[in-house]
Amino acid sequence: MLRGSKFEPEENKNRVSSSRCCRYCQQIFQPSRYRPQQSACSEPDCQRRRRSDYHRERIRSDSAYAEDVRTSQKKWQQAHPDYWAKYRLQHPEAAERNRSRQRQRDLKRRLLNLAKNNLALDLKHEASEVWLVGPGMKDLAKNNLASAKVFIYQPLQPWTREARRS
Ligand SMILES: [Zn+2]
């Protein structure tokens, strides 16, 4: 990679004002002069994470891009129909880890949905800080707080207007 710093005077090379902390590995690095906004260092790992964050964020915010991604994934899967079946056979521990992560994501989505839909407790704004724990977690698909017997723990905070009124 062309950095050019070799040819810069010493005082420029060590300019503290332009060096910064990598958002991924927390190491100090010198941003490229061509990309003053650079927030990740040039380590391959950090660059990989930057690209995948960018990709994920773009899928979220750009529906045309998301559609392109889905289409090309579908094409790839049609061209390699048994890739994942083979992969799961060859990597049983990875397959199990993925299944368990997916279960966690499903559960989190159900719980956040429940919190979002529970207007009486005004959890909308703190949904990410609410922990829902209880024996009925598997039955939450219906979002029925009363029958699911779920306990809601909220972080200690001042009473909201809604709570005071009731
Ligand atoms: Zn880094």
Side-chain angles (χ1 to χ4, degrees):
M1 191 193 286
L2 243 175
R3 308 215 94 184
S5 56
K6 233 193 281 179
F7 306 103
E8 284 175 18
E10 197 61 26
E11 64 267 25
N12 277 358
K13 211 154 79 179
N14 296 322
R15 234 176 357 180
V16 178
S17 61
S18 64
S19 62
R20 63 188 65 158
C21 191
C22 170
R23 63 194 283 206
Y24 298 115
C25 68
Q26 292 3 295
Q27 300 298 309
I28 303 296
F29 74 101
Q30 203 74 28
S32 155
R33 67 164 75 181
Y34 304 108
R35 291 185 292 135
Q37 304 303 312
Q38 187 181 352
S39 64
C41 75
S42 57
E43 286 300 309
D45 237 24
C46 298
Q47 286 299 311
R48 206 165 17 243
R49 287 174 67 184
R50 181 187 63 77
R51 277 191 302 270
S52 81
D53 278 358
Y54 170 80
H55 182 65
R56 202 178 306 127
E57 173 54 28
R58 183 123 186 240
I59 284 178
R60 205 186 57 78
S61 63
D62 179 343
S63 55
Y65 181 83
E67 184 56 38
D68 282 350
V69 170
R70 270 195 299 275
T71 308
S72 76
Q73 279 173 348
K74 212 179 276 169
K75 271 190 200 142
W76 192 90
Q77 274 161 14
Q78 278 157 4
H80 308 84
D82 51 359
Y83 177 86
W84 285 110
K86 256 189 217 153
Y87 178 88
R88 282 190 292 270
L89 274 178
Q90 282 159 9
H91 306 85
E93 37 352 278
E96 179 47 40
R97 195 166 59 233
N98 282 339
R99 271 193 292 274
S100 130
R101 281 186 187 155
Q102 186 59 54
R103 277 194 296 270
Q104 290 293 317
R105 282 194 295 271
D106 290 346
L107 177 64
K108 189 176 162 199
R109 201 185 46 239
R110 283 199 301 275
L111 294 176
L112 284 175
N113 253 334
L114 175 79
K116 238 186 277 172
N117 290 327
N118 197 310
L119 303 177
L121 289 167
D122 194 35
L123 296 177
K124 285 180 302 218
H125 308 298
E126 283 94 17
S128 60
E129 293 171 7
V130 175
W131 289 18
L132 297 145
V133 180
M137 285 200 294
K138 287 219 170 71
D139 304 313
L140 286 182
K142 282 178 218 148
N143 282 354
N144 189 325
L145 187 69
S147 71
K149 286 184 189 137
V150 168
F151 300 99
I152 297 175
Y153 298 105
Q154 272 184 289
L156 227 68
Q157 60 187 6
W159 290 105
T160 63
R161 226 177 313 134
E162 268 67 24
R164 253 202 314 269
R165 218 184 288 142
S166 55

